[in-house]
């Protein structure tokens, strides 16, 4: 099977899915945990593949699970599966290295955000297509945020109006993401952080509540509920 979805698409989506997911409790690697009977990764890939601009999907799987992930995803969508690394950043770099010639827009989407709406893939890609080098989906921060010391003592209150919670998919002009990873130092928790260090302007687009990151058991229960409600 070819690893190509829409041959006229201009977007490659990298899906880091090699994390262990210790915060979900003991069990399989997080991306392979079931949500309504199917692994999180299957949900994520199916939704990404439904976005019309997507040309290629590259999944970074736990090294021990590459073959099983390949078989698992074969009926879902044509995908390239590579072994991930010890850190998320290494998993993204491995996936990026496997993108074939063609797509000039690269999105990075965490498998843990399994209910990604295809429209969000399109809106991030469109913002890159319209000329931005780096684009992140964000939501306003609803809680009051305090800075605290190691002993739990409050040091101060942060101005929440200037803060945003950042989701994925994050989108980049391909050359910008490649340069960011080539220059990467200590692992960061997102890809926009890498290109920020290169002085690249990163712009925000509206995120989606449905793109929540499934990290703890409560998130899994919430995602099950959203799916049952038609998400
Ligand atoms: O660890 P965290 O929940 O922030 O992981 C975000 C995403 O990065 C998840 O989809 C996870 O599977 C992925 N990841 C990875 N390789 C690692 C660690 C995390 O692909 N070594």
């Amino acid at each position: 099977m070819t690893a190509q979805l829409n041959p006229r698409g201009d977007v490659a989506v990298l899906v880091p899915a090699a994390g262990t997911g210790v915060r979900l409790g003991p069990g399989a690697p997080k991306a392979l945990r079931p949500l309504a009977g199917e692994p999180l990764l299957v949900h994520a890939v199916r939704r990404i593949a439904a976005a019309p601009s997507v040309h290629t999907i590259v999944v970074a799987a736990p090294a021990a699970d590459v073959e099983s992930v390949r078989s698992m995803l074969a009926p879902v969508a044509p995908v390239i599966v590579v072994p991930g690394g010890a850190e998320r950043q290494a998993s993204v770099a491995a996936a990026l290295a496997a993108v074939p010639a063609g797509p000039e827009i690269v999105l990075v989407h965490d498998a843990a955000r399994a209910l990604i709406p295809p429209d969000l893939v399109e809106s991030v890609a469109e913002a890159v297509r319209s000329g931005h080098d780096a684009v992140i989906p964000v939501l306003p921060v609803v809680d009051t945020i305090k800075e605290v010391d190691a002993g739990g003592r409050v040091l101060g209150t942060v101005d929440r109006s200037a803060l945003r919670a950042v989701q994925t998919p994050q989108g980049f002009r391909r050359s910008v993401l490649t340069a960011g990873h080539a220059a990467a130092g200590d692992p960061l928790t997102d890809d926009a952080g890498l290109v920020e260090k290169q002085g690249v302007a990163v712009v925000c687009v509206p995120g989606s509540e449905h793109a929540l990151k499934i990290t703890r058991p409560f998130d899994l229960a919430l995602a099950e509920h959203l799916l049952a409600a038609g998400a």
Side-chain angles (χ1 to χ4, degrees), residues 52 81 90 169 214:
V81 183
I214 298 170

Side-chain angles (χ1 to χ4, degrees), residues 10 47 56 78 86 137:
D10 56 357
R47 284 158 182 268
T56 300

Side-chain angles (χ1 to χ4, degrees), residues 15-20 23 30-31 60 84-88 91 110-112 213 215:
V15 185
T20 52
R23 287 168 293 184
K30 175 158 78 175
E87 308 281 350
R88 181 188 179 282
S91 297
D110 289 340
K213 185 170 170 187
T215 305

